[in-house]
Amino acid sequence: MLHIEFTPADLNRLRLAGDVSPMWEVVLSLQALQTGHAALALDPWRRRVRAEVAAAGLGETVGALQRLCPEAAYFPDFLTPSASGGRTLDAELEHVLRTPKVRLRKEIGLLCAGGDPPRGARRLAEGDAGALRRLGDAVRRYYAVAVAPYREAIRSAAAADRPVRAEAALREGAEGLLASFAPEVTWRGDRLECAYPVSRGFSLDGRPLTLVPSFFCTRRPVALADPGLPPVLVHPLTPAPGWLPDSVPGHGGDTLVRLIGLTRARVLELLDRPMSTGRIADALYVAPASASRHAAVLREAGLVRSERRGHCVMHRRTDLGEALLNGG
């Protein structure tokens, strides 16, 4: 059980994040891939993302991220630095990659519970600059496959949740807002309670509690492990079964995704104008080598034309690629 103690003054300091936090969605979606929770709503997403991870050769990358974000009672707080919601992935990642060495060592040490760090995490725990860069690259590549293609559904769920909370707050004030999170959360009049994998509680002590919505939060709310950090409670948006469309908008239908993979379908969509390999990599948050490989496969299939311009190779969709993208 998790319980958060409130004073009357604490109720006046409640904050409601306006949107999801990209890093919370990264962490909680990595955990969702490790479980079968919310099967009706998330299993179609799991199948699609696992297939795309395999097609993009990201299995080892995602595995390393999952070892850092296990579906367990504890994962490092430094991975979720924003309490405001609505910030960009790059802005939140900048905070992650600036985490002080002492905090990295402490939190990764807690993750290991006295044992050896997960493979590849030892240098990260030491604050090694190369390890931090690799972490940032891994997060961007995973986000491009598992979260970015579904941003519209995620934003729609958050947008639908906001008026529900606003109406509760207008009708019954801060206590009505807290009560609106039932049944996942129970408001007792001076404390907030919810099911939790470990027993813990803390007081706000004059600090504002920020309530952050999350699409990939399943079963129960989540709080930061360190009670000394600015208090956050992440609550589930609980997507309904059927939220995942048969096709990802702008990618020529699910048939095209199954045929060439989601990342290559997204590359094909980008190339309505000439783009360099580096620009493709930046747009999709993938490594330049991966972008080059996807462009080469599309070129060999006659879907993309490539030509060298100075020091760059420029790629553009062919008529055949256009027809395939549009279902012709």
Side-chain angles (χ1 to χ4, degrees):
M1 179 72 71
L2 170 70
H3 60 88
I4 304 173
E5 303 290 341
F6 280 76
T7 66
D10 290 329
L11 288 171
N12 296 326
R13 300 187 184 96
L14 270 177
R15 295 177 181 172
L16 194 61
D19 204 348
V20 299
S21 155
M23 281 305 301
W24 272 109
E25 296 308 299
V26 164
V27 168
L28 294 175
S29 65
L30 281 164
Q31 294 180 344
L33 281 175
Q34 300 172 62
T35 73
H37 302 153
L40 286 176
L42 292 183
D43 272 0
W45 168 83
R46 289 185 179 102
R47 287 191 294 271
R48 186 174 286 177
V49 169
R50 285 167 181 158
E52 180 59 21
V53 164
L58 292 176
E60 185 175 342
T61 296
V62 173
L65 289 174
Q66 288 179 325
R67 288 190 291 274
L68 197 58
C69 307
E71 208 287 317
Y74 177 81
F75 62 87
D77 288 330
F78 78 87
L79 294 168
T80 51
S82 171
S84 60
R87 295 173 63 173
T88 66
L89 177 67
D90 282 345
E92 292 191 355
L93 259 181
E94 184 180 351
H95 282 269
V96 171
L97 302 183
R98 292 207 314 257
T99 303
K101 293 181 180 180
V102 64
R103 183 175 173 189
L104 289 170
R105 189 178 305 113
K106 174 187 174 182
E107 294 188 5
I108 294 177
L110 288 172
L111 176 66
C112 305
D116 291 330
R119 190 168 72 250
R122 183 169 299 174
R123 288 189 175 182
L124 186 62
E126 296 168 353
D128 178 78
L132 286 164
R133 283 195 301 271
R134 288 191 293 274
L135 173 63
D137 181 59
V139 168
R140 289 187 178 95
R141 296 174 72 189
Y142 170 77
Y143 182 87
V145 169
V147 180
Y150 311 102
R151 280 179 297 197
E152 288 308 311
I154 293 169
R155 288 169 177 163
S156 294
D161 185 73
R162 280 195 294 272
V164 174
R165 310 306 171 192
E167 183 179 352
L170 287 171
R171 188 174 60 247
E172 300 178 55
E175 294 191 78
L177 170 61
L178 293 173
S180 74
F181 291 98
E184 289 87 1
V185 170
T186 301
W187 172 243
R188 300 291 188 191
D190 60 354
R191 68 162 53 185
L192 203 62
E193 296 180 349
C194 64
Y196 219 65
V198 294
S199 179
R200 57 171 298 222
F202 59 89
S203 300
L204 295 174
D205 298 324
R207 300 171 299 167
L209 175 68
T210 302
L211 302 164
V212 181
S214 171
F215 192 82
F216 291 107
C217 183
T218 61
R219 297 197 300 168
R220 58 177 176 261
V222 182
L224 295 171
D226 185 348
L229 293 172
V232 172
L233 190 67
V234 178
H235 63 89
L237 287 173
T238 316
W243 69 270
L244 185 68
D246 291 336
S247 63
V248 179
H251 296 299
D254 199 47
T255 300
L256 177 59
V257 172
R258 288 197 300 269
L259 180 65
I260 65 174
L262 182 56
T263 300
R264 286 174 191 158
R266 295 178 68 211
V267 172
L268 195 60
E269 183 197 15
L270 281 174
L271 297 179
D272 59 340
R273 63 189 186 281
M275 289 185 71
S276 68
T277 305
R279 289 288 302 279
I280 294 171
D282 290 342
L284 298 184
Y285 294 119
V286 300
S290 180
S292 178
R293 183 170 62 251
H294 289 309
V297 170
L298 294 172
R299 181 172 61 250
E300 290 166 5
L303 305 177
V304 163
R305 180 183 300 108
S306 304
E307 62 180 46
R308 180 167 292 280
R309 295 184 186 175
H311 297 294
C312 294
V313 176
M314 305 297 289
H315 312 278
R316 185 165 188 169
R317 207 162 56 220
T318 64
D319 290 343
L320 177 60
E322 184 80 25
L324 186 61
L325 183 69
N326 294 317

